[in-house]
Amino acid sequence: MDLYARRRIINLAVMGLSALATAFGLLWLALVLCTLLANGIAAIGPALFTQTTPPPGSTGGLANAIFGTVAMTVLATLIGTPTGILAGTFLAEYARDSRFGEVVRFVNDILLSAPSIIIGLFVYEAMVVHMGHFSAWAGAVALAIIMVPVVVRTTEDMLRLVPDSLREAAAALGAPRWKVIVLVAYRAAVQGMLTGVLLAVARISGETAPLLFTALNNQFWSADLNAPMANLPVVIFQFAMSPYADWQTLAWGGALLITAAILVLSITARVLASWSSFKQ
């Protein structure tokens, strides 16, 4: 057997193993999605979006949990997005090669990989204990802390991709540094930064552990951010663990809603990332 034939055989073997590994991973993803659709589609209906979580044996929906999840996610985004963008801007524009910047990046990487339950315990000790009760504010802060390192990393990476020649051209025209960053660097990196925000929102949408220690749950409709608030992850956890078939059906429906929302956010982020790459 000559060298060329041996290389072709090795290439085909490696390609076959790669295809098998890919199919193996996609198989489990397909099984999860099929199971989710088969069990969750029965719960999808007007009642799911218009009625609150019911007691066992009664009809109801997840309206209060959906509202709570949206409210806390929006609050977390309003807190985490500007914080992450400003921190990422500092690392990319002011502390690119400094020792302090390296320390901040190291801490951000640790926070990025920290278990969410640890963050929930921290917010519980820092806010819930001192406030004396669970609240949606505490839940939003916990989600914002999880969100910040994702936004920091993507913002820094996107700003680093902006050519220095653009900054030098703006500076040569007499623009101050803050204008160079806002009007030049941000404009060039806005799609990538927005992609990072959307990925961070998808990251926090299904978090359960931090909300168990902060927002807890509420069976009734409540718009009071200073009180416990229902949310989809905790409701899914509690209903799925219950022995009641109607609760389990609602849990499957809630899981399907979260999966669909994360899928939409992920696709949107991919589209924005592709658009950004195409424009560059």
Side-chain angles (χ1 to χ4, degrees):
M1 183 184 299
D2 61 3
L3 180 61
Y4 178 72
R6 187 165 63 251
R7 286 179 174 176
R8 287 195 63 186
I9 292 174
I10 294 174
N11 179 67
L12 289 174
V14 173
M15 290 292 292
L17 290 174
S18 301
L20 286 175
T22 303
F24 182 76
L26 292 176
L27 172 65
W28 296 108
L29 177 61
L31 288 175
V32 169
L33 292 177
C34 290
T35 304
L36 191 60
L37 284 171
N39 292 277
I41 199 69
I44 303 300
L48 187 73
F49 302 96
T50 58
Q51 299 182 20
T52 59
T53 49
S58 302
T59 59
L62 299 173
N64 53 334
I66 295 172
F67 172 78
T69 295
V70 172
M72 284 186 282
T73 301
V74 170
L75 282 174
T77 304
L78 293 176
I79 297 171
T81 299
T83 304
I85 289 177
L86 290 175
T89 302
F90 171 77
L91 292 176
E93 300 291 339
Y94 294 96
R96 181 172 296 189
D97 299 316
S98 68
R99 185 176 298 273
F100 179 70
E102 292 298 326
V103 173
V104 174
R105 290 186 190 93
F106 177 72
V107 173
N108 187 74
D109 290 341
I110 293 176
L111 190 59
L112 187 63
S113 58
S116 59
I117 192 171
I118 302 299
I119 295 174
L121 285 170
F122 166 75
V123 177
Y124 173 82
E125 181 65 28
M127 290 188 65
V128 176
V129 172
H130 294 285
M131 294 173 67
H133 57 82
F134 299 97
S135 68
W137 286 114
V141 170
L143 295 180
I145 294 175
I146 297 173
M147 184 178 185
V148 164
V150 180
V151 180
V152 170
R153 172 55 65 88
T154 54
T155 299
E156 182 187 6
D157 290 344
M158 291 302 103
L159 289 177
R160 280 176 171 268
L161 292 176
V162 177
D164 288 335
S165 58
L166 293 179
R167 297 180 177 87
E168 293 167 358
L173 294 174
R177 191 165 187 178
W178 69 269
K179 276 194 174 182
V180 174
I181 294 172
V182 174
L183 299 181
V184 177
Y186 279 178
R187 283 190 177 182
V190 63
Q191 282 85 18
M193 293 164 62
L194 184 57
T195 299
V197 173
L198 291 176
L199 291 175
V201 172
R203 164 81 166 82
I204 65 175
S205 296
E207 285 292 345
T208 305
L211 297 181
L212 282 170
F213 292 95
T214 53
L216 197 61
N217 197 7
N218 193 337
Q219 185 179 349
F220 307 101
W221 180 277
S222 175
D224 185 5
L225 298 176
N226 203 36
M229 181 174 286
N231 54 89
L232 280 175
V234 175
V235 169
I236 291 170
F237 171 74
Q238 293 180 346
F239 281 18
M241 297 294 290
S242 73
Y244 308 109
D246 51 344
W247 277 16
Q248 293 173 3
T249 300
L250 285 176
W252 282 110
L256 183 59
L257 283 180
I258 288 182
T259 303
I262 293 176
L263 180 63
V264 170
L265 288 172
S266 299
I267 292 175
T268 304
R270 290 283 185 178
V271 170
L272 287 174
S274 300
W275 183 32
S276 178
S277 301
F278 175 75
K279 287 184 67 177
Q280 292 177 359

